[in-house]
Structures are given as C-alpha cells and as structure tokens.
Amino acid sequence: MDIEEFRRFGHAVIDWVADYRGQTRLGELPVMARVAPGGVKRELPVGPPPQPEPFEAVLQDLTRIILPACTHSQDPRFFGYFPSVSSLAAVLGDYVATGLAQLGINWQASPALTELEDVTISWLRQMLGLSAAWSGAFQDTATTGTLVALLSARERATSYGASRGGLQESARPLVVYASSQSHESVGKAVRLAGIGSNNLRLVPVDDRYAMRTDVLEEMIRTDRARGLQPCAVVATTGSAETTALDPVADIAAITCAQGLWLHVDAAMAGSAMILPECRWMWAGVEKADSIVFNPHKWLGASFDCSVYWVRDAEHLLRVMSANSSYLHTRSDSRVKSYRDWGIPLSRPHRAVKVWFLVREQGVSGLQARIRRDIGHAQWLAEQVDATSGWRRMAPSPLQTVCVRHEPPGLNESALDTHTLAWVCRINESGRAYLTPARLDGRWMVRIAFGSEATEHHHVAALWSLMRDEASWHH
Amino acid sequence: MDIEEFRRFGHAVIDWVADYRGQTRLGELPVMARVAPGGVKRELPVGPPPQPEPFEAVLQDLTRIILPACTHSQDPRFFGYFPSVSSLAAVLGDYVATGLAQLGINWQASPALTELEDVTISWLRQMLGLSAAWSGAFQDTATTGTLVALLSARERATSYGASRGGLQESARPLVVYASSQSHESVGKAVRLAGIGSNNLRLVPVDDRYAMRTDVLEEMIRTDRARGLQPCAVVATTGSAETTALDPVADIAAITCAQGLWLHVDAAMAGSAMILPECRWMWAGVEKADSIVFNPHKWLGASFDCSVYWVRDAEHLLRVMSANSSYLHTRSDSRVKSYRDWGIPLSRPHRAVKVWFLVREQGVSGLQARIRRDIGHAQWLAEQVDATSGWRRMAPSPLQTVCVRHEPPGLNESALDTHTLAWVCRINESGRAYLTPARLDGRWMVRIAFGSEATEHHHVAALWSLMRDEASWHH
C-alpha cells in the first residue's frame, strides 16, 4: 500500500468508523451480537491468501462479516460488564500514535512519547487528587498492574529474593490478603507470582460488601502465629460485582503498623476520583504503596490504558529492570526508560490518547460526564427502592446498580431462574445489554452506567424495559 | 467531540499521518530525534487543562512539539535495534479495531473479533509452516510470551503448585537454561516467575553464538546430581545481538529425553519462517512446548502484536484462567475465551491488523519483502568481508549484520572508543540510525535491515556513509 492508497483508504476507514459510531450513538443496532458460535469463522477462509487481495474487498468484509457479529459497547443502551468508553478524541490520539509507529523501547527511540507519558501520567495524578509522592507508568490492564504490585510486594518481603534463589528459598511462606469481593485478577496474580492460592486469604465483607478489617487483623495475627509471613493487602475501591468500597484508611493503618504492602485496586472507581466529592471513597490512599487505575474504563481513554502508580519508584525499577547493552547507548538520569516500569520491554504509546482526551474534554468536561453517570445510577436506584417487587442488592456509590426482581412466592432457586430469564430476554431483544452476576451465591443483575452516549431518556427506557420483561411471566 | 467533528478531524489525522509516512518513506527527516532530555516536557503544561481546548490546537502541537522529538523507525535509513515495521494496511486494521472499541473480555462481548483471532492465529501458523498441533493467542510482546512460557513450565514441573502453596512449598528448586546470548526477557521472566536468578543457567555458545548442547547436557546432569529440578530450556531462533540460531533439534532431543519444557524464542526470526528456504533455522521446533513470535517486528503488523503458541492448550488454560461469574454468562465449548490464554483479562483486538496485512500483501508479497531484506544483509556482509579494515563479528543468517571497523594499531579499548565514535557520528548526522551493542564484552555495531521502505540504494548509501565516518579519524 503506497501513501496515496493509504490516504484514500484511510479516509474510507474514518468514514466507516464515523458511520459506525453514529449508529451506535443513536442506538440503531441490536446491542448484543446476533451470531451463533462459529458463525464468523465460517465466513472466513481457512488459510491465508497466497496473493494480494484488493483492499476494497477487505473493507467490504468489515460490513458484511465483522459488524453483525459485534456487541456494541459504545451504544447508549449498553449497561453490561463495566464502561469501556472509547471517546472519539482518544480514538484519534491512538490513530496518531499508531501512525507515528515509534519504537517504544527507551528514551532515545522516542523522546517525544516517553516525555509525553511522563507529563500525562502526572496530569492524571493531579486529576485524581494524588500527591506528588506518586510516580507511575501506563500498563495494559489492571490485571497486569496488580500482578506487578504483588511481585513488588514479594520482592520487598524477601529482600529481592528474585535476584537469588527466588521464592524457592523462602523460609516463611508469604501470605496475601484481599476481600472476598476482590477482583479475580488478585487470585490470578497470587498464583502467577508463585505465592500460591493456599496463601491467599479472602477476608469476609460487611453488609456493604466492604472488607472487615477486624477479621483482616485477626487473620494476620493467626498467620504470624503459624510461622507464615504476611506480605500484602489488596484493597478495592469499586469492586467488580457491586462497586463496593474497602475502608482504605483502616486497612492502611494495619499495613503501616505491620509493614505490609498495600495495593489499591481502583481500576473502576479511579475515574470518579476526578470529582473532589468522591475522594472520601479512597481516603487513606496516600498511605498505600501502589495504585492501579484504568482510564480505559470510565474515563474514556480507549482500550488499553491502565495506570500503575507507586510511591517507591526505585524499588519498582529494581524489580522490573532488565539490561541489555544495545538498549543503553544513552544513559542519562534525566530521562525515564519506561521499559523498566512494567513487564513488557517494548511498549505502545498510550500517552497520546490521554493527551488528546484530556485536552479535548478539559477536566471540567470529564467531571461533568462522570457526575451525570453517577446521577443516572442514583435515579435508577431510587426507582428500584420505590417499586415493590424490586430490590437493590448493594449500595450504589458509583455508576453500578445491582438489582433483583422478586415476585412473591419464588424460592431462591426459582428466583435465580427468573433473574437469568428476564435479563436474557432483554439482551436477546437487542434493546439493551445487561450482565447478571452472582452475589452471595445467588444471581442478580448489574446495571453499569458509563457509556458516553447514555442520557436520561435511555435510563428511563431501560427501567421501563426491565419492568416489562421481569413481569412477563407474572 | 461529535460524529461530524470526528469525521472532520479524522480526515485531518489521516492526512497528517500520510504526510508523515510520506516524509519518512522518502527519508526527508533526520532519522534520530534531535532533542535534549527534557526538551519535550518543557513545551507541555505541568497540569491538565481545566477547560476544553480547540482540537485544532492539539493537532498543531503534534507538528510543533511531538514530531521533532521522534526517532523515525519507519525511515528507510533506520537500521537500529530490530525492524519494527508498521505496514500501512496493518495501521488501518488497527484504526478499525480501535474505532469498533469492542470490549475484549469474552466471546459474547465480541464474537467477531474472538473468531477473527482464531482464524488469523491459524493463518500465521500455516504461514510459518507449523503443524495443526499448535494453538495460540496474541500477546503484547515476546517478553510476556516468554514469561507465560516459564510460568507454564513451572506449573507443569510442580503439578500445578500455584493452586496450592506455590513455589514456596517446592522441595527441589527449579532450574531454567538458556544460552548466554538469550534475550534479557528470559532473565526477567525467571526472576518474575519466582524461580530466581541463581537458578538460571546461561549455557555457553559456540563460535556462531549458538547454544552448546554438550554443555547444556552436562549442566542438567550436574543440577540433578545436586538435587535441583531442571525445568525448562529456552532456545533462541534469531538472538537479539547477532540473530544467532540455537540448534533446536539437538536441544529438543535433550528436553524430550529429560522431560523438560522447551520454549522457542523466535520473536525476531519467526517472520523469516514464512520462507520455506529458512525453516532449517528452527528445525525441530515441532518438538517444543511453546513458541513466541512477533509479527510486530519484521512481518509488518504494527505494534503491539506477538503470538504465543502452545502444543497443550488445556495446560495453558489451567495455568492462566481466572473465574468470575459475570464473565461467564455463555459457557459453550465451541467458543474460545482468549482471556484465559495470557496474563491480562481484557485484550485489544490485534487480529484485525493481521487480517488486513495478510490480505493486502498476500503471503507472496510478505515473502518477497523478507527475501529482499535478507538479500540486503547478504550484500552488506559481502562488502564487509571484501573490505580490508572491516570485520564481520558473527554469521548473518537473517537481516542483521554485525561489524567492526578495525584500523591497524588500536588495542581493544581504543577500538571500543573508535566504534562508539563512528556510530555516534552517523546517528547524529541524521542520515542513518544504527545501534552499537556489546559482544563478548567489546563494542560492535549491528545493522538491522527490515524497514519496509529500504531499497538497495539505501543500503549502498549506508555502506558508503559507514566507510566515510569510520575513516574520519584515520
């Protein structure tokens, strides 16, 4: 493809994406993909094309094969999983970064994008109200950030055992603590870090699904008495199922007193910390050792874009840095080498999309949208609370409302069936998309607001649809 | 930003990228960024903008601040590090994937892109001549792929110890083997996996910088005798410094006989395996347990895009899968959930760019370019070999030529100074970009071909420039 073809097809791609985004913003397509397993694969050749194909044919297949098999997470009627907002200014930032195709391996290979990362990471820190004690870097996802946190905790607890015999020489097994509502990425990180599932303690939660610090303290005491070595606590600000808020200050008091690593998983709720009125939710965060936050969720930086902040950058570099002569032709303490701030050595340039997003929206624009979404959740929560037969299953401090429709006379098992049935009817209608989830062993439905295009009338229409579909059998 | 603004600014971004790529293709800009440390940061505000800014201003800053501080890895005169080819068709594929903004968390959230990944991973497998026994998934980079490999090896060797007490309960410490020329990602993975640097054996190499399997066998024997547990061998096909080729078949004979995991790091050379005449380079690969290969290097799929293949997918899923109820509303063995194939749970949709690239180029088009680049290396190698005062430091089986200019009468230390001086003069001239590297403790210069726009006249001009700059002092 030569430059003029790129220009021509590039304009076609922009128009294709603009048309698609226009359709999803207007909610014209069924939200959930209508395709059976294997339906896409069947349309595609089993082997690669030996000869070049006309690029027009490739673009046509987008519309014919790919589009009908997409679930539209940018649709204003998408309330599934969690917001995965891909703001249009961020999209263009990503286009620029991909077009520039900088080799993201050290400062010299791209001074521009290394220093832009430095600046945008600092902007985000200031937006969230964090002190200048924090420094950080972009990562792909919060799962990776949490893994990096537990690796860092492991290395602090073992005085850099990885540079010697690793965990294999540890005398006292390390133990990690997180609430029973913590994200599955914590369990995965504990396993991958070699600490092992048996050394993860899932601390019980209170009636707001927040970690019980009295039990945490008791667990730590018991583990010490058994000769184990408590190592780290993961506190969650905005849990995956219900956006529950662990009491960070109380947990920090324990981790500081006991010398444990405190990692705050604010993947979801971090975006709300741009609102001063929400910062009580993670009060105490300044005493943590690390924080993970995903601008690719609610803030609007398109996927992938997670931030990992630490208080002790030197420690992170010592745990993560590798070394190879051909990468270090310029050694200069005035520049950062972000390859030493995470697992991969080469990295994409996520700073551009954050730069574009924050400048195009301004902090005030982003704040207004986040406030609007919290308002949507509050409105729906009020309707649910005021309507007989409906029950809210957890507090709704952020943008997620957890509900159940409970017709009289159904036992728990029948309620599960009923819940899955009405949410399934909604999803298959194409008129909205919701995700059911288990809470305390029973099925409930999460309504996660945050899609950029969702306005009040979409929320009102959803509530009407929920009542219609839930009462269908009754 | 509304849809019509996106359309307008999107067209502007396409034109900006097209102009940039045109300039880099023509080699109009100095290849290496001309900016001092801190030079970009100084141009950017310390804090985020409180109010929205006009998007025109953002685009202007690209040209004013970002562009002069970029090193142009797509320039035909870029011979640094390794090729990081970002083919224009792949760029457009990425634009589509970013524009679609699918939530890459499971099949249901994007049937289209899950199944497209399935298909393109299979296309790449066939292109490299691998049997149908392999299945795989996209990852960000080879560093991550190698970490996943060693985690998988660790779990096989400990019978899934991560689900119990982890490495902390292992009776016999695990040991990993790789050549002294293996990539730094191996050492990093050994540390992160908790195995520990002391349990990594760097096997010496022969005069072609290939692993000495006689020493490997001896090391394994010694470790067993000491009560340690040999666990995995990493074989490199195309090492970072010299593109050296470990003898995969000989290593596989040992790993199969001894029950060790064999991981093949073909991050760089994997692209050349689309040429049947190159497949001798990793003969024996079918007996490996895992392979990593980066289409984002030489093949042209823009960054990031690495493939990790395994023979035993069930094992990988058991090591990597996490579980959370709200993610599994559709459980169907006919669909893949790629979140269980690597570390992050949400994933970008890299399949689109591979699909675009392979269709636009055809296998034959990609083969022609890879053959051309190997030809460039062979031509330069011949010139170096035929010119007195110049020496080739290693075999050049692929697209990298390692050289030194050795004027008479210089000792090793003076030669190092001379080498760094002439390569520095070239880089600062802006007329080409090369990276020096240490080999056997001394500095040499790597010339890595692979930039899509590099034609013979660029190679001839480089050789002339090298001779001029190296003889500058003599």
Side-chain angles (χ1 to χ4, degrees):
Chain A
M1 183 176 286
D2 67 25
I3 296 293
E4 291 317 310
E5 288 170 319
F6 173 79
R7 205 183 290 271
R8 181 157 57 90
F9 291 123
H11 288 299
V13 162
I14 291 293
D15 287 331
W16 191 88
V17 170
D19 291 346
Y20 170 68
R21 286 303 190 95
Q23 285 181 294
T24 54
R25 283 212 178 178
L26 296 172
E28 290 179 356
L29 305 165
V31 188
M32 185 174 78
R34 288 181 167 164
V35 65
V40 174
K41 221 170 145 174
R42 196 160 42 235
E43 297 287 327
L44 298 165
V46 170
Q51 300 302 326
E53 295 184 46
F55 204 70
E56 288 84 353
V58 179
L59 295 180
Q60 282 161 11
D61 283 350
L62 277 183
T63 307
R64 186 174 68 84
I65 303 172
I66 301 300
L67 195 56
C70 286
T71 294
H72 309 296
S73 61
Q74 306 304 308
D75 192 291
R77 304 162 305 162
F78 183 88
F79 310 104
Y81 309 108
F82 42 78
S84 176
V85 182
S86 171
S87 208
L88 294 172
V91 168
L92 293 182
D94 236 4
Y95 288 5
V96 166
T98 302
L100 278 171
Q102 295 287 286
L103 206 162
I105 203 157
N106 58 20
W107 181 88
Q108 193 184 54
S110 189
L113 298 191
T114 299
E115 296 194 12
L116 191 63
E117 179 157 347
D118 209 356
V119 169
T120 50
I121 287 281
S122 167
W123 285 12
L124 290 169
R125 176 186 62 71
Q126 297 169 61
M127 287 165 68
L128 268 59
L130 292 168
S131 79
W134 297 93
S135 53
F138 291 114
Q139 311 278 342
D140 58 356
T141 63
T143 300
T144 303
T146 294
L147 174 58
V148 171
L150 292 191
L151 292 168
S152 299
R154 184 190 79 184
E155 292 309 301
R156 195 174 75 181
T158 60
S159 303
Y160 303 101
S163 310
R164 301 186 307 274
L167 268 187
Q168 315 192 112
E169 65 178 16
S170 69
R172 301 161 58 213
L174 306 179
V175 184
V176 173
Y177 307 81
S179 99
S180 61
Q181 292 289 304
S182 65
H183 191 256
E184 56 180 347
S185 57
V186 178
K188 185 166 180 171
V190 165
R191 292 196 300 280
L192 297 186
I195 293 170
S197 299
N198 290 357
N199 299 309
L200 171 63
R201 304 278 174 269
L202 292 180
V203 185
V205 292
D206 63 19
D207 58 0
R208 305 177 72 81
Y209 298 100
M211 184 190 288
R212 282 187 53 188
T213 51
D214 56 332
V215 184
L216 171 66
E217 273 200 296
E218 178 59 35
M219 283 175 156
I220 293 172
R221 198 177 309 127
T222 306
D223 284 327
R224 285 206 199 280
R226 289 171 55 205
L228 306 176
Q229 185 179 358
C231 167
V233 180
V234 179
T236 306
T237 303
S239 68
E241 258 79 5
T242 71
T243 65
L245 307 166
D246 282 341
V248 177
D250 293 350
I251 296 170
I254 297 169
T255 54
C256 289
Q258 303 258 353
L260 309 193
W261 187 281
L262 174 55
H263 174 61
V264 175
D265 173 0
M268 178 63 217
S271 297
M273 300 305 117
I274 68 172
L275 302 179
E277 69 268 28
C278 284
R279 290 187 191 145
W280 63 267
M281 293 183 190
W282 71 356
V285 69
E286 286 289 335
K287 297 211 163 140
D289 295 283
S290 56
I291 302 169
V292 70
F293 152 52
N294 287 355
H296 69 224
K297 283 197 164 75
W298 195 4
L299 199 69
S302 43
F303 194 85
D304 51 9
C305 186
S306 182
V307 183
Y308 179 69
W309 275 299
V310 289
R311 292 179 67 86
D312 185 350
E314 285 305 314
H315 174 72
L316 179 63
L317 299 185
R318 189 159 164 193
V319 173
M320 286 292 150
S321 78
N323 204 344
S324 194
S325 65
Y326 77 97
L327 295 164
H328 298 274
T329 46
R330 171 165 225 138
S331 120
D332 187 322
S333 62
R334 287 170 300 169
V335 303
K336 279 191 181 156
S337 207
Y338 278 113
R339 62 196 297 282
D340 294 332
W341 290 66
I343 294 172
L345 297 163
S346 296
R347 312 163 69 247
H349 288 293
R350 301 178 177 99
V352 187
K353 58 188 165 191
V354 172
W355 193 44
F356 275 36
L357 173 70
V358 176
R359 292 184 69 181
E360 193 263 339
Q361 290 284 307
V363 175
S364 59
L366 294 168
Q367 286 174 326
R369 179 164 56 77
I370 300 288
R371 282 198 182 103
R372 178 202 65 177
D373 295 343
I374 292 175
H376 289 161
Q378 285 172 348
W379 183 85
L380 182 65
E382 284 161 17
Q383 311 311 307
V384 168
D385 290 347
T387 306
S388 78
W390 287 84
R391 190 153 72 93
R392 206 144 53 85
M393 308 301 289
S396 313
L398 292 162
Q399 46 52 270
T400 300
V401 184
C402 298
V403 304
R404 207 158 64 165
H405 178 243
E406 301 182 340
L410 297 189
N411 62 21
E412 284 290 335
S413 163
L415 261 179
D416 275 356
T417 307
H418 172 65
T419 302
L420 291 173
W422 70 257
V423 77
C424 188
R425 282 195 294 274
I426 286 180
N427 288 352
E428 293 192 347
S429 78
R431 294 167 62 198
Y433 188 90
L434 306 173
T435 33
R438 279 182 186 277
L439 187 66
D440 299 330
R442 315 305 320 186
W443 285 102
M444 55 97 184
V445 179
R446 300 164 68 261
I447 297 109
F449 296 103
S451 184
E452 218 176 6
T454 304
E455 297 296 347
H456 176 72
H457 70 91
H458 298 108
V459 187
L462 169 70
W463 174 228
S464 169
L465 182 64
M466 285 165 63
R467 279 175 300 165
D468 287 352
E469 294 295 349
S471 61
W472 194 70
H473 273 312
H474 298 278
Chain B
M1 184 176 285
D2 67 25
I3 296 293
E4 291 317 309
E5 287 170 320
F6 173 79
R7 205 182 291 271
R8 180 157 59 91
F9 291 123
H11 288 301
V13 163
I14 291 292
D15 287 333
W16 192 88
V17 170
D19 291 345
Y20 170 68
R21 287 301 191 97
Q23 283 181 297
T24 54
R25 282 210 180 178
L26 295 173
E28 289 180 355
L29 304 165
V31 188
M32 185 173 79
R34 288 181 166 165
V35 65
V40 174
K41 222 171 144 174
R42 196 161 40 235
E43 296 288 326
L44 298 165
V46 170
Q51 299 302 325
E53 295 184 45
F55 204 70
E56 288 85 354
V58 179
L59 294 180
Q60 282 161 12
D61 283 350
L62 277 183
T63 308
R64 186 175 67 85
I65 304 172
I66 301 300
L67 196 56
C70 286
T71 295
H72 309 296
S73 60
Q74 306 305 307
D75 193 292
R77 304 161 306 161
F78 182 89
F79 311 103
Y81 309 107
F82 42 80
S84 177
V85 182
S86 171
S87 209
L88 294 173
V91 169
L92 293 182
D94 237 4
Y95 287 5
V96 166
T98 301
L100 279 170
Q102 296 286 286
L103 205 163
I105 202 157
N106 58 20
W107 181 88
Q108 194 185 52
S110 188
L113 299 190
T114 299
E115 297 195 12
L116 190 63
E117 179 156 348
D118 209 357
V119 169
T120 50
I121 287 280
S122 169
W123 284 13
L124 290 168
R125 175 185 63 71
Q126 296 170 62
M127 287 164 67
L128 268 59
L130 292 169
S131 78
W134 297 93
S135 53
F138 291 116
Q139 311 278 343
D140 58 356
T141 64
T143 300
T144 303
T146 294
L147 175 58
V148 171
L150 292 191
L151 292 170
S152 299
R154 185 189 78 186
E155 292 309 301
R156 194 173 77 180
T158 59
S159 303
Y160 303 101
S163 310
R164 301 186 306 274
L167 267 187
Q168 313 193 113
E169 65 178 18
S170 69
R172 300 164 57 213
L174 306 179
V175 184
V176 173
Y177 306 82
S179 99
S180 61
Q181 292 288 306
S182 64
H183 191 257
E184 56 180 346
S185 57
V186 179
K188 185 165 180 172
V190 165
R191 292 196 300 281
L192 297 187
I195 292 168
S197 299
N198 289 357
N199 299 309
L200 171 64
R201 305 276 174 270
L202 292 180
V203 185
V205 292
D206 63 18
D207 58 2
R208 305 178 73 79
Y209 299 99
M211 186 191 286
R212 282 187 55 190
T213 51
D214 56 332
V215 184
L216 170 66
E217 271 199 298
E218 177 59 33
M219 283 177 158
I220 293 172
R221 197 178 311 123
T222 306
D223 284 326
R224 283 205 201 279
R226 290 171 56 206
L228 306 176
Q229 184 179 357
C231 166
V233 180
V234 179
T236 305
T237 302
S239 68
E241 259 80 6
T242 72
T243 66
L245 307 166
D246 283 340
V248 177
D250 293 348
I251 296 170
I254 297 170
T255 55
C256 288
Q258 303 257 354
L260 310 191
W261 187 282
L262 174 55
H263 175 61
V264 175
D265 174 2
M268 178 65 217
S271 297
M273 300 304 119
I274 69 171
L275 303 179
E277 68 268 29
C278 284
R279 290 189 191 144
W280 62 267
M281 294 183 189
W282 70 356
V285 69
E286 287 288 335
K287 297 211 163 140
D289 295 282
S290 56
I291 302 169
V292 70
F293 152 51
N294 287 353
H296 69 224
K297 283 198 163 74
W298 195 4
L299 199 69
S302 43
F303 193 85
D304 50 12
C305 186
S306 182
V307 183
Y308 179 69
W309 276 298
V310 289
R311 293 179 68 85
D312 185 350
E314 285 304 313
H315 174 71
L316 178 63
L317 299 186
R318 188 158 164 192
V319 173
M320 285 292 150
S321 78
N323 203 344
S324 195
S325 64
Y326 76 98
L327 295 164
H328 297 276
T329 47
R330 173 167 223 137
S331 121
D332 188 322
S333 62
R334 288 170 299 170
V335 303
K336 279 190 181 156
S337 206
Y338 277 114
R339 61 197 296 284
D340 294 332
W341 290 66
I343 293 172
L345 296 165
S346 296
R347 311 164 68 247
H349 287 293
R350 302 178 176 99
V352 187
K353 60 188 166 192
V354 172
W355 192 44
F356 274 36
L357 173 70
V358 176
R359 293 184 70 180
E360 194 265 339
Q361 290 283 308
V363 175
S364 59
L366 295 167
Q367 286 174 327
R369 178 164 56 78
I370 299 289
R371 283 198 181 102
R372 178 202 66 178
D373 295 342
I374 292 175
H376 289 160
Q378 285 172 348
W379 182 86
L380 182 65
E382 285 160 17
Q383 312 311 308
V384 169
D385 290 348
T387 307
S388 77
W390 287 84
R391 189 154 72 92
R392 205 142 54 84
M393 309 301 289
S396 314
L398 291 162
Q399 46 53 268
T400 300
V401 185
C402 298
V403 305
R404 207 157 64 165
H405 178 245
E406 301 181 338
L410 297 189
N411 63 20
E412 283 291 333
S413 162
L415 261 180
D416 275 354
T417 307
H418 172 65
T419 302
L420 290 173
W422 70 257
V423 77
C424 186
R425 282 195 294 274
I426 287 180
N427 288 351
E428 291 191 349
S429 78
R431 294 166 64 197
Y433 187 91
L434 307 172
T435 34
R438 278 180 186 279
L439 186 67
D440 299 331
R442 313 308 318 188
W443 285 101
M444 55 99 183
V445 180
R446 299 164 68 260
I447 297 108
F449 295 103
S451 184
E452 217 176 7
T454 305
E455 297 296 347
H456 176 73
H457 70 89
H458 298 108
V459 187
L462 169 71
W463 174 228
S464 169
L465 182 65
M466 284 164 62
R467 280 174 300 164
D468 286 352
E469 293 296 348
S471 61
W472 194 70
H473 273 309
H474 299 277

